[in-house]
Amino acid sequence: MNGIMATINYGDRAGGRMAYRANDSSRDTVCLAPEIMPITDMRGVETHLDSEGFQMIFCDPAGLEDEAGAIGALLRAQCGADLVVPTGQPVRRFAERSDLSGRLDNSRPARFAHVDISDGTARTFSARSLPPGSPAPVRSAHYNLWRVTSPAPQDVPLALCDARTVAAASLLPADAIFDRDGVDIWSFEGLVCAHDPGHRWCWFSDMGPGEAILFKTWDSDPARAHCVPHVAFDNPLAPADTPPRASVEMRAIAYWF
C-alpha cells in the first residue's frame, strides 16, 4: 500500500458548536484545525462496509447513470438489504478551480472532515423515509455512493477515515444548514470531526469510469462499522494542469426486516 502526506482540515474542539451551509460558506462558523496526516492509497486493497466502512465498487459506467437505481442495486447486492430508499437527488460537486464550483446548488467540495448525519438525525431520517405499512426494521444504515465524472488524476480527491479508528469523542455535533439566495431553509444535526492521532485516513487514487466508492454514514447495528468521516483534500501528486475534479454522489437508507 502506498501512502502520501496531505492536510486534513479537522474541526477545532475549542470552536464551540459549529454551523455550515450548503451554499453560502461565508456565513459558516466552522473553526478549522488543519493537520498533516498520512493517507493510504487503498487501490487494490480489499475493504468492507462492515469493518472499514467503505469499499470500491466496480460496475458498468452506463449502469451508474441512474444514480438512484444504481445505489439501490448495489446495496442489495453488497449487503443484502431487504429495502433501499434513495434520499434526495444526486449531488454534483466541482473542485474550486472549476467554473461550476458554487454555481450549482451545494456544488462545492466539503473541505472539513465531517459525517453527514448525527445519530439522532440518522434515526429521524430512517423513520421518516420508511414507506408506510412497512414492518419495523431490525436494522437500518445510511450510505453514500460517490464517483468522479472527471478524468484521472483527481486534484481534489476524497479521503475516508477507517471507521475502526473513529472514537465518538472526536465527533462534534454541528448544524448542517441548507440555504439558498442568502436564506436558511432547513437544517439538521451533522458532525464535524476533530483530530485524533489514531485516525487512519484512506483514499483511492486515479479513479475512472465504472468505479465508485460506497461508504457508510450511520448504522444502527453496534457490531458493525458505525460511520466514516470524510473530506476533500488537495492531492500533492496531481500536476498543476490537472483538470478540476467533478463528482456526483447519491445517498440512500437500507433496511433489514
Side-chain angles (χ1 to χ4, degrees):
M1 292 184 287
N2 297 318
I4 58 174
M5 301 296 293
T7 298
I8 297 292
N9 283 324
Y10 282 104
D12 190 337
R13 294 179 186 274
R17 187 174 178 103
M18 301 175 227
Y20 51 91
R21 289 168 174 79
N23 293 303
D24 185 6
S25 58
S26 70
R27 296 192 290 138
D28 290 356
T29 59
V30 176
C31 298
L32 299 182
E35 294 281 346
I36 297 176
M37 298 289 287
I39 306 178
T40 302
D41 188 355
M42 303 302 287
R43 179 164 291 282
V45 180
E46 184 176 356
T47 61
H48 198 277
L49 291 170
D50 290 334
S51 50
E52 293 88 352
F54 60 83
Q55 65 187 70
M56 175 78 84
I57 301 294
F58 301 92
C59 51
D60 180 354
L64 292 172
E65 293 304 317
D66 174 13
E67 301 290 337
I71 195 170
L74 287 170
L75 284 173
R76 285 188 292 271
Q78 294 294 325
C79 56
D82 296 309
L83 173 68
V84 177
V85 179
T87 55
Q89 297 298 314
V91 178
R92 299 187 180 275
R93 300 188 194 275
F94 306 89
E96 290 87 350
R97 292 190 300 114
S98 169
D99 292 339
L100 294 175
S101 187
R103 288 181 57 189
L104 304 178
D105 194 33
N106 197 16
S107 60
R108 294 185 179 91
R111 285 293 192 160
F112 54 91
H114 69 287
V115 178
D116 296 344
I117 47 178
S118 69
D119 288 1
T121 298
R123 294 187 185 98
T124 298
F125 286 1
S126 291
R128 183 184 302 167
S129 298
L130 188 65
S134 299
V138 297
R139 176 192 171 204
S140 62
H142 292 239
Y143 296 89
N144 188 318
L145 180 68
W146 187 95
R147 66 184 181 93
V148 296
T149 55
S150 55
Q154 282 78 51
D155 61 336
V156 183
L158 184 70
L160 307 116
C161 194
D162 186 332
R164 300 170 298 181
T165 70
V166 179
S170 67
L171 300 176
L172 313 177
D175 296 312
I177 302 169
F178 278 79
D179 64 313
R180 189 171 292 116
D181 300 325
V183 177
D184 296 341
I185 300 171
W186 69 292
S187 66
F188 57 87
E189 186 175 71
L191 300 168
V192 172
C193 186
H195 177 248
D196 184 328
H199 285 158
R200 180 187 182 227
W201 287 96
C202 307
W203 71 308
F204 293 92
S205 62
D206 297 339
M207 291 183 64
E211 297 181 331
I213 301 171
L214 186 62
F215 65 94
K216 188 185 297 183
T217 54
W218 183 78
D219 197 321
S220 66
D221 185 348
R224 304 172 190 267
H226 188 63
C227 67
V228 175
H230 49 284
V231 62
F233 72 98
D234 292 321
N235 178 6
L237 303 179
D241 60 352
T242 298
R245 180 259 279 181
S247 62
V248 59
E249 57 197 77
M250 184 72 201
R251 298 175 177 86
I253 305 174
Y255 300 90
W256 291 258
F257 301 114

